[in-house]
Amino acid sequence: MKFWIALRNFASTLFHQPGNDSDLEQELKSHIETRAEELENTGLPRDEAVRRAHIEFGRYERFKEECRQERGGTWFETLRQDLRYGLRMFRRSITFTAVAVFTLSLGIGASTAIFSVVQGVILSPLSYRDPDRLVMVWLRNPKAHYISMSLPDFEEWRRQDAGFQQMSGVRWYHFNLTNPGTPEHVAAYEISAGFFNMLGANLHLGREFLPEEDRPGGARVAIINDHLWKNRFSASPQAIGKAITLDGVDYTIVGVLPANFRFLDDIEVYIPLEQGDPMFNDRRFPGVLCIARLKPGVSISQAQSRISAVQQNLNNQFPDTDHGLSTDVVPLKPLIIGDVKGMLLLIMGAVGIVLLITCANIASLLLARSTMRAQEFALRAALGASNGRLVRQLVTESLLLAMGGGMLGVAVAKLGLHLLLTMGIGNLPRSENIGLNGPVLLFTLIITIIVGILFALGPAFKSLAFNLQSTLKQGSRGNTSAFQYAQKTLVVLQMALTLVLLVSAGLLFRTIHDLQAVNPGFDSESLITFKVGISPAATRTAAAEQAAYHQFMERIRSIAGVQSADITNLVPLSRLNNLAPFWVGSQAATPVAEAPRLLLYWTGPDYLRTMKIPLLQGRFFTPEDNANSAHVIVIDSALAHAYFSNTNPIGQIVNINLWGEAQIIGVAGHIKHSGLGDSAGSNQPQAYAPLQQLPENAARTFYRTLSVVVRSPLKPADIIPAIKAAVYNAGNDQPVYEVRTMQEIVSDSMASQRLPMTLLGAFATLALVLATVGIYGVISYSMAQRVQEIGVRMALGAGKWAIFRMVLVQGLRLALTGIVIGAAVALVFTRAISSFSRLLYGVGTGDPVTFLSVSFVLVSVALLACYIPARRAMQTDPMIALRRE
Amino acid sequence: MTGHVQILPGTLDLLILKSVSLGPLHGYGILLRIEQISGRVLLIEQGALYPALFRLVSQGMLRAKWGTSANNRRAKFYELTPAGHKRLLRDVESWKQRVAAVSSALRAQAGEV
């Protein structure tokens, strides 16, 4: 009931505002008039009657104001007053306003930019229909590692109802795209019919694959993405029905995807799953990822148990390939987000700290200002303003300041996002969702309001605690000691938080430094790698492909400046794998699923020399180790240590799955294949086998994914054009792609540390600047308050340098307190972060070198900030100081 | 003004509600009626009436309507709402209780404590 009354009052005020005020006047005036008439009737003269009536009425203005207040809905009116007043105050002290708004905008802007990244990558829902019902069905091998599945198994899963509304398989592949346009190598997905429908993604043009196309021998159809459509078909609607040539075969385009579609990667071409290379349609070859949509009402665990049963049957039916396999059903989102959660949370924490520091800075400024305004508030209170009114004024002013900072902050955030893009944010998964969208702007609004209200609280409490009379008498000195304490606390807080940021940045810096010093096992300098798309004409048989490679390798080797070159299926640190089950000895002693795996490199004879991997024992391959001679293999030191620790491995036999027996002819050094900091991979056995001895059926597929490595002391800009020319001369429809220097690959492998390090470094610098300004402000102000005391000290005999020291000591004490507190917080913070993500390498979370050097930096900065106030203090003339009020 | 007693704070609302309960009145009329029904003993600062009236209106105890007064002036008339009536009864009750308590306290003789 009360609510409706208040609402009605409010509405009536908004709508009848001017009328109400004149009505009020009229009511009160007519009361006085009536009384005056009555008095006149008793015989008093008119003037006397009116005067008497006014006196009897009482303080007219005050009662009128009280009536206005009681009316309710004057909230709106007082807001307007507060706003006008606040703006006037800000215009008067424009420097303060500018500094405060600018600092705030930095803090709010940085937080908004980072939050938009977190929101885009992690928080926002997947852009598919009902994304919570989408799951990924994984297969797990006996060691519980997640693996993809074979096509026959997938088909079996689909045939048996497993509680899924729809299942789709996705397999990665790649093609040489030769028509229309220039030859290029493209990544492709082989997908089941109905895949896009399952996701809930609509095609921009055309249609999905039909079930009759999704079978071996079905019509050759393809769906392309927006990028390819714009590049090669000029975004023409007539693209449907045209053909693209993939690996020499024409595929008819039936559909075009919309511009914002992305599934796991920016894939340009999609073809039906069952039309993939038949060699892989064997139960022994994994590669198919299974994405599914749950039936309504079915939970993940229910689906889990049903698909488990299906797989169990398959395990029993096909013990050779499917023994010991299990399944796991997981929501789709984490798969797409990948591994970046830890790093993003670290950055979010860091920017939160920056925001806190800017708030502390501004709160300090506001406190200083509020002390000067104490007189003003005391006066207003004496004139009748209620406490509530004064607090409301303060809150309005703070919110005004905060809003200014917030709006400028949005502009800062936009700038910040541009900067982040140059730092590689675009490589994060789901980065297409990052932007200043609705939820992000709401976040900005919320923190702006919170910040605004927080700022009002401090000065508000201070103002209300003032004793009215003593304040009016004292002038602007006010309650100095409490104020000083608050300011000092803020500075200590700033120092502590800055230390946390500096330590985090420092730890990451040392990590990258240590990682760069790690020996990867090969010489990464002067190495270039690239891939070549062999012309379709040469890919008919393995022998033809070998010949094609042989041809351009000869040309490459004859280029001046090339020291050595060769081909390999795997480039270290490139995140690709080729794990082959193996057995020591000639028999396959255990089932495939349980056999240990080695990382198998298929290379040419010059590979070891090109990479400068040390040969520890025996020999590497020669051109004589070819298809007609016995299988040979070179193992690495890890394999030798694990399986041949007591014997000489040279001459021993190992059995590689799908290849057969091979004799060990040499031992090479171990390589850091999966990451410079990856200690788990240091026991991963590795081995090298001659490309020439690849079995015929595998050769065709392997040859399509080969990388060429070239060692040359020349600069990449000089050597690469020569390489391209050599390859094109051997066949002008052979694109050279993925050209990278080994240094770039090594550096990219540290990207997950480099981005946070850069950001943290930037934040830490910003924090350092703010903290310096903070200390300077506090010390200056404190010294200004203590001018008399300094005068007394000097008069009593203290020397100039003693005063100078006194100021520095005060600043030092603040800094050290902040450092101690900050160190404690930093220890907890870094430990929390490193438990989240494996970002650190070579340094512990409590690394003393980092902590000490950072503390040293903070102390120096604090001393620097105190220098000017100290000099000013030491130059005080005691005579003038003592005479000061 | 001898013979007049200052009204206690908080009783102004009660007096207003009581006056209005006898019939709708404008501000001046309420003043006259209070003086009348209290036998001219109670004294109010005249202007203080109006903030109290506005407060009672925003609390929903009174309703205000513009009309014409006895001497043909445009005036704002106040009348009691049902909620105001309930409030009046409640306040009268608690007033009686308070008065009874204070009176009995004042009657205490030296020997009774």
Side-chain angles (χ1 to χ4, degrees):
Chain A
M1 180 60 181
K2 286 243 175 83
F3 174 71
W4 292 118
I5 296 173
L7 200 62
R8 187 199 55 191
N9 285 340
F10 178 66
S12 75
T13 319
L14 277 186
F15 295 137
H16 305 296
Q17 183 121 335
N20 257 344
D21 223 47
S22 72
D23 276 356
L24 172 61
E25 282 248 0
Q26 187 178 48
E27 190 176 355
L28 298 187
K29 284 253 154 68
S30 104
H31 176 112
I32 297 177
E33 214 7 76
T34 315
R35 179 69 185 138
E37 275 180 12
E38 239 179 51
L39 287 172
E40 251 187 292
N41 291 343
T42 63
L44 252 59
R46 175 81 187 153
D47 305 337
E48 184 60 27
V50 168
R51 192 182 73 92
R52 195 78 84 80
H54 267 100
I55 293 175
E56 284 179 13
F57 188 82
R59 289 162 287 174
Y60 177 78
E61 284 301 329
R62 172 150 172 228
F63 287 132
K64 188 164 137 192
E65 175 62 34
E66 279 186 28
C67 284
R68 277 213 203 103
Q69 282 196 0
E70 293 295 352
R71 236 185 351 214
T74 53
W75 169 87
F76 196 64
E77 209 177 72
T78 53
L79 180 67
R80 271 201 358 215
Q81 279 183 340
D82 288 344
L83 282 176
R84 261 201 310 233
Y85 188 74
L87 281 172
R88 208 166 19 164
M89 293 302 300
F90 286 142
R91 234 200 316 258
R92 252 193 241 154
S93 44
I94 197 130
T95 342
F96 162 80
T97 315
V99 166
V101 167
F102 179 67
T103 319
L104 254 185
S105 75
L106 285 181
I108 294 183
S111 309
T112 305
I114 298 299
F115 180 76
S116 70
V117 172
V118 170
Q119 195 268 346
V121 174
I122 298 184
L123 296 176
S124 62
L126 293 181
S127 49
Y128 309 127
R129 185 190 73 229
D130 273 340
D132 308 318
R133 305 300 292 166
L134 287 172
V135 294
M136 174 93 169
V137 189
W138 283 107
L139 207 55
R140 295 169 80 159
N141 70 3
K143 290 212 193 74
H145 293 155
Y146 287 93
I147 57 179
S148 54
M149 55 194 321
S150 62
L151 189 59
D153 276 357
F154 170 71
E155 286 163 352
E156 199 60 35
W157 280 11
R158 277 236 280 208
R159 248 195 296 271
Q160 311 194 18
D161 175 25
F164 296 112
Q165 191 175 47
Q166 202 178 347
M167 283 174 115
S168 282
V170 178
R171 184 163 58 184
W172 181 81
Y173 204 58
H174 55 116
F175 293 103
N176 271 347
L177 178 63
T178 44
N179 224 24
T182 56
E184 193 192 337
H185 206 84
V186 292
Y189 273 154
E190 298 167 358
I191 56 174
S192 306
F195 172 69
F196 298 108
N197 181 32
M198 180 185 78
L199 288 182
N202 292 326
L203 275 81
H204 180 63
L205 279 182
R207 62 165 177 84
E208 276 229 59
F209 299 140
L210 304 167
E212 52 263 27
E213 289 160 346
D214 187 18
R215 54 175 183 81
R220 296 286 196 191
V221 287
I223 294 176
I224 58 177
N225 81 343
D226 178 77
H227 184 247
L228 200 133
W229 182 52
K230 292 203 165 94
N231 276 357
R232 290 179 186 260
F233 293 94
S234 327
S236 144
Q238 324 299 348
I240 305 289
K242 294 228 172 73
I244 54 172
T245 315
L246 303 170
D247 278 0
V249 178
D250 281 350
Y251 287 75
T252 317
I253 295 176
V254 295
V256 177
L257 288 169
N260 59 359
F261 178 81
R262 202 189 194 193
F263 180 77
L264 290 183
D265 253 324
D266 285 321
I267 299 293
E268 306 201 316
V269 176
Y270 297 78
I271 66 165
L273 180 61
E274 299 282 346
Q275 291 184 16
D277 192 331
M279 194 188 91
F280 291 119
N281 294 352
D282 187 306
R283 200 154 242 125
R284 291 172 295 170
F285 289 102
V288 178
L289 293 177
C290 177
I291 320 284
R293 180 177 284 280
L294 293 169
K295 272 205 188 114
V298 175
S299 72
I300 285 192
S301 46
Q302 286 171 319
Q304 169 66 49
S305 40
R306 283 163 81 160
I307 196 76
S308 252
V310 172
Q311 183 58 38
Q312 197 54 44
N313 278 341
L314 288 174
N315 288 359
N316 297 334
Q317 269 184 290
F318 305 99
D320 293 334
T321 51
D322 286 24
H323 176 78
L325 296 177
S326 55
T327 59
D328 198 6
V329 179
V330 296
L332 188 59
K333 195 170 176 192
L335 171 79
I336 297 191
I337 293 179
D339 214 10
V340 294
K341 213 177 222 174
M343 175 192 73
L344 282 181
L345 286 180
L346 165 68
I347 297 182
M348 192 78 216
V351 91
I353 291 181
V354 170
L355 189 62
L356 274 178
I357 295 180
T358 59
C359 286
N361 223 296
I362 301 204
S364 193
L365 277 173
L366 281 175
L367 265 180
R369 208 159 149 267
S370 81
T371 312
M372 290 189 275
R373 294 180 70 191
Q375 241 194 325
E376 167 202 332
F377 283 142
L379 199 62
R380 288 180 70 183
L383 283 177
S386 64
N387 268 353
R389 186 80 175 75
L390 291 177
V391 170
R392 204 163 41 197
Q393 167 78 41
L394 282 170
V395 171
T396 315
E397 281 181 20
S398 299
L399 278 178
L400 208 59
L401 205 61
M403 288 289 168
M407 288 196 289
L408 197 60
V410 170
V412 169
K414 215 168 167 74
L415 204 69
L417 276 181
H418 273 293
L419 269 172
L420 284 176
L421 270 176
T422 64
M423 284 201 264
I425 274 285
N427 293 333
L428 287 176
R430 306 189 69 211
S431 61
E432 70 271 12
N433 288 334
I434 297 177
L436 293 177
N437 51 28
V440 171
L441 289 176
L442 186 65
F443 168 82
T444 313
L445 186 66
I446 291 177
I447 57 171
T448 306
I449 293 180
I450 292 180
V451 156
I453 294 183
L454 270 179
F455 286 158
L457 289 182
F461 281 136
K462 291 246 111 269
S463 321
L464 297 181
F466 282 142
N467 180 303
L468 211 59
Q469 258 202 332
S470 65
T471 312
L472 283 170
K473 277 196 276 183
Q474 264 180 20
S476 66
R477 284 247 308 271
N479 219 336
T480 338
S481 59
F483 161 57
Q484 280 261 292
Y485 183 71
Q487 263 204 332
K488 287 191 176 143
T489 314
L490 285 173
V491 165
V492 165
L493 182 72
Q494 280 181 299
M495 286 263 119
L497 290 176
T498 308
L499 185 111
V500 173
L501 283 181
L502 280 173
V503 161
S504 311
L507 285 177
L508 280 174
F509 178 76
R510 284 201 64 184
T511 296
I512 295 208
H513 191 248
D514 286 355
L515 278 179
Q516 281 175 334
V518 167
N519 178 8
F522 54 91
D523 184 2
S524 59
E525 301 245 357
S526 316
L527 264 184
I528 301 176
T529 103
F530 56 91
K531 292 192 175 181
V532 177
I534 300 291
S535 42
T539 56
R540 295 288 148 76
T541 63
E545 281 200 271
Q546 267 191 32
Y549 264 99
H550 195 69
Q551 231 191 352
F552 73 70
M553 283 312 294
E554 282 305 303
R555 287 173 186 267
I556 289 179
R557 285 193 184 108
S558 62
I559 298 177
V562 169
Q563 286 173 341
S564 53
D566 216 327
I567 39 185
T568 173
N569 68 333
L570 287 182
V571 174
L573 297 175
S574 62
R575 285 187 252 269
L576 287 177
N577 266 334
N578 180 33
L579 290 169
F582 74 103
W583 301 266
V584 176
S586 40
Q587 296 305 320
T590 56
V592 170
E594 289 171 24
R597 270 133 171 89
L598 54 74
L599 195 62
L600 190 55
Y601 292 82
W602 292 97
T603 73
D606 262 347
Y607 178 74
L608 222 61
R609 195 166 66 97
T610 310
M611 299 290 287
K612 290 215 176 135
I613 299 173
L615 183 63
L616 303 172
Q617 263 188 286
R619 66 171 184 91
F620 204 63
F621 334 125
T622 62
E624 278 72 48
D625 298 304
N626 55 22
N628 303 323
S629 54
H631 287 173
V632 292
I633 192 169
V634 174
I635 63 175
D636 82 325
S637 49
L639 210 166
H641 185 77
Y643 294 91
F644 300 100
S645 44
N646 296 326
T647 58
N648 184 2
I650 310 288
Q652 306 258 16
I653 305 283
V654 290
N655 188 339
I656 309 290
N657 188 34
L658 301 175
W659 189 38
E661 298 178 13
Q663 191 182 49
I664 300 177
I665 57 168
V667 179
H670 181 80
I671 295 188
K672 297 231 182 276
H673 182 90
S674 20
L676 288 177
D678 182 19
S679 45
S682 56
N683 294 327
Q684 169 70 51
Q686 300 164 347
Y688 302 86
L691 254 181
Q692 301 222 35
Q693 295 188 342
L694 256 183
E696 169 82 23
N697 53 358
R700 269 189 55 233
T701 344
F702 268 84
Y703 268 99
R704 309 177 67 247
T705 61
L706 291 183
S707 298
V708 180
V709 285
V710 174
R711 176 169 293 278
S712 162
L714 295 180
K715 283 206 293 276
D718 299 330
I719 194 76
I720 289 174
I723 292 176
K724 285 190 172 167
V727 173
Y728 288 152
N729 281 338
N732 60 2
D733 56 352
Q734 304 191 128
V736 169
Y737 61 102
E738 276 183 47
V739 182
R740 299 205 286 171
T741 65
M742 204 63 213
Q743 292 284 59
E744 283 171 7
I745 297 183
V746 167
S747 158
D748 277 354
S749 74
M750 298 190 280
S752 73
Q753 281 100 341
R754 185 166 286 117
L755 177 63
M757 180 192 85
T758 318
L759 281 176
L760 277 178
F763 291 158
T765 314
L766 179 63
L768 202 57
V769 169
L770 288 173
T772 314
V773 171
I775 283 200
Y776 172 78
V778 166
I779 298 289
S780 287
Y781 190 86
S782 150
M783 285 307 130
Q785 295 302 103
R786 293 168 69 182
V787 165
Q788 266 184 305
E789 176 199 332
I790 294 177
V792 170
R793 280 178 191 253
M794 285 183 123
L796 287 178
K800 287 190 173 179
W801 289 106
I803 304 292
F804 187 78
R805 231 189 359 246
M806 180 182 85
V807 179
L808 287 186
V809 161
Q810 191 182 25
L812 201 63
R813 214 181 307 157
L814 283 179
L816 284 177
T817 320
I819 287 176
V820 166
I821 298 179
V825 173
L827 280 172
V828 173
F829 184 71
T830 52
R831 180 157 310 168
I833 292 301
S834 85
S835 68
F836 244 111
S837 57
R838 295 177 301 113
L839 282 181
L840 295 182
Y841 171 82
V843 283
T845 56
D847 179 45
V849 172
T850 315
F851 273 83
L852 281 175
S853 32
V854 160
S855 309
F856 179 72
V857 167
L858 272 178
V859 164
S860 341
V861 150
L863 288 177
L864 193 72
C866 294
Y867 175 69
I868 295 182
R871 266 198 52 175
R872 222 184 296 146
M874 114 177 165
Q875 287 165 352
T876 328
D877 183 343
M879 294 308 289
I880 302 178
L882 286 172
R883 269 189 235 128
R884 277 268 296 267
E885 180 78 9
Chain B
M1 302 204 185
T2 52
H4 291 253
V5 172
Q6 287 276 13
I7 66 162
L8 303 169
T11 56
L12 179 58
D13 284 11
L14 183 53
L15 291 171
I16 292 177
L17 288 174
K18 179 65 187 178
S19 318
V20 175
S21 76
L22 304 171
L25 286 170
H26 55 66
Y28 193 72
I30 294 177
L31 178 69
L32 288 183
R33 185 164 289 173
I34 290 178
E35 286 186 351
Q36 180 187 42
I37 59 182
S38 71
R40 293 190 191 277
V41 175
L42 297 179
L43 176 76
I44 328 173
E45 196 175 13
Q46 291 186 12
L49 197 62
Y50 286 91
L53 283 172
F54 273 80
R55 192 177 352 111
L56 287 170
V57 168
S58 76
Q59 286 172 353
M61 304 292 132
L62 293 178
R63 201 177 316 148
K65 243 191 325 214
W66 282 97
T68 343
S69 72
N71 46 1
N72 262 334
R73 270 212 176 78
R74 183 169 171 260
K76 202 171 182 198
F77 283 82
Y78 295 88
E79 61 181 0
L80 210 57
T81 64
H85 191 77
K86 262 194 269 187
R87 162 90 165 262
L88 174 62
L89 294 175
R90 208 184 64 213
D91 283 0
V92 166
E93 212 27 64
S94 70
W95 170 263
K96 287 187 183 155
Q97 286 175 351
R98 249 186 296 154
V99 166
V102 173
S103 304
S104 107
L106 291 175
R107 268 201 299 273
Q109 298 291 359
E112 283 169 11
V113 285

